[in-house]
Amino acid sequence: MDLELAGKVVLVTGGSEGLGAAVCARLVREGARVALCARNAQRLEATAAALRTQGGDVLALPTDVTRPESLERFIEAAHARWGRVDALVNNAGSSAAGPFSAVSDAQWEEDLQLKLFAAVRAARLTVPHLRAAGGGSILNVLSIRAKAPGAQSMPSSVTRAAGMALMKALSKELGPNGIRVNAVLVGMIESGQWARRAEASGKPPEELYAQMSRDAGVPLGRIGRAEEFADAVAFLLSPRASYISGTALNVDGGLSPVV
């Protein structure tokens, strides 16, 4: 299926590794122009270089999405390079989780700044460009815990739930401008942070992934691949999903108890 993304300009926060890098690679294969950002400049440039070897038209800019001026510089640099913006992927984040009594005010604030306020600011800065382009798409990368929070899942589950509410409200408000807003809710999927955890424990990643799948009871019997997540994101961003908006799609192998 041609996703009709060739020539489209897509911004991806948290694009240097794991799920974000997989999204960037999928978009490049579709012919999209991709601007990616992350805090780690060395890792970001390595990912950008790999994308360029695949023929990608890529802009990579070290960015701290929790700093408004840094985020603004990233978005304006992408617009200055290509003269338009067609889509935004709010992917920057982490999986901070613990018991309620152990989460400090500072940790709540840090999580909200990284996952919620960064997405708010990125959308605010991008929407004028989407309107100028005649419409576009915003996608928030969240977690299945946004719908089904569990014990000892804070602050992340609460922040992700706020991100889902943001998505739904924006889909209503921006729909008349031809701007679709959706979310992908991630279950257990291969990522850079899991690979680093496996390395720290002395286990091969495949062994850790198999154990995680068994312990969690994933109905499909395995951990998801980053490429499978990226396929879902690329479709929702594309014109082929032109009548899908305000939707939170679980990409979790059937793990979530909530539709």
Side-chain angles (χ1 to χ4, degrees):
M1 178 188 291
D2 179 6
L3 295 184
E4 302 175 16
L5 286 169
K8 301 292 187 181
V9 175
V10 185
L11 314 181
V12 182
T13 67
S16 65
E17 64 174 340
L19 300 182
V23 168
C24 292
R26 184 67 173 86
L27 293 172
V28 161
R29 288 198 298 275
E30 290 293 327
R33 300 164 177 171
V34 179
L36 61 154
C37 72
R39 284 184 283 198
N40 188 306
Q42 183 176 1
R43 194 177 297 146
L44 180 67
E45 186 48 45
T47 299
L51 294 171
R52 292 184 186 111
T53 64
Q54 299 169 29
D57 187 358
V58 172
L59 171 67
L61 189 64
T63 303
D64 181 350
V65 297
T66 67
R67 296 174 56 194
E69 67 279 7
S70 184
L71 189 56
E72 183 174 6
R73 184 168 59 249
F74 166 64
I75 293 170
E76 290 310 309
H79 185 263
R81 173 161 176 168
W82 291 300
R84 62 183 295 131
V85 175
D86 298 286
L88 165 68
V89 180
N90 283 312
N91 176 67
S94 63
S95 57
F100 175 71
S101 60
V103 183
S104 67
D105 284 359
Q107 289 171 313
W108 278 106
E109 177 67 23
E110 181 180 3
D111 206 64
L112 286 162
Q113 285 292 341
L114 177 60
K115 297 173 189 167
L116 178 61
F117 287 112
V120 168
R121 295 181 186 116
R124 183 188 298 131
L125 291 165
T126 303
V127 163
H129 299 313
L130 299 179
R131 286 190 175 120
S137 181
I138 297 173
L139 188 134
N140 289 348
V141 178
L142 306 173
S143 162
I144 58 173
R145 289 188 168 182
K147 290 182 181 177
Q152 301 189 9
S153 67
M154 289 170 273
S156 190
S157 62
V158 176
T159 307
R160 293 307 197 190
M164 190 166 70
L166 172 68
M167 175 276 295
K168 192 64 173 179
L170 282 179
S171 74
K172 302 286 190 181
E173 186 167 333
L174 301 178
N177 301 124
I179 299 171
R180 298 179 300 106
V181 190
N182 292 294
V184 169
L185 275 56
V186 179
M188 305 184 77
I189 297 182
E190 298 173 3
S191 69
Q193 60 183 338
W194 290 120
R196 288 191 292 274
R197 181 176 296 186
E199 182 179 357
S201 67
K203 294 181 179 179
E206 296 76 14
E207 183 179 334
L208 176 63
Y209 291 144
Q211 179 184 334
M212 289 168 55
S213 175
R214 288 193 301 270
D215 291 347
V218 178
L220 286 185
R222 64 176 177 84
I223 299 298
R225 296 186 297 273
E227 293 77 11
E228 294 172 312
F229 161 82
D231 286 344
V233 171
F235 172 70
L236 287 174
L237 290 175
S238 78
R240 302 308 294 265
S242 58
Y243 202 57
I244 300 175
S245 192
T247 294
L249 175 67
N250 295 342
V251 180
D252 66 348
L255 179 60
S256 175
V258 181
V259 175

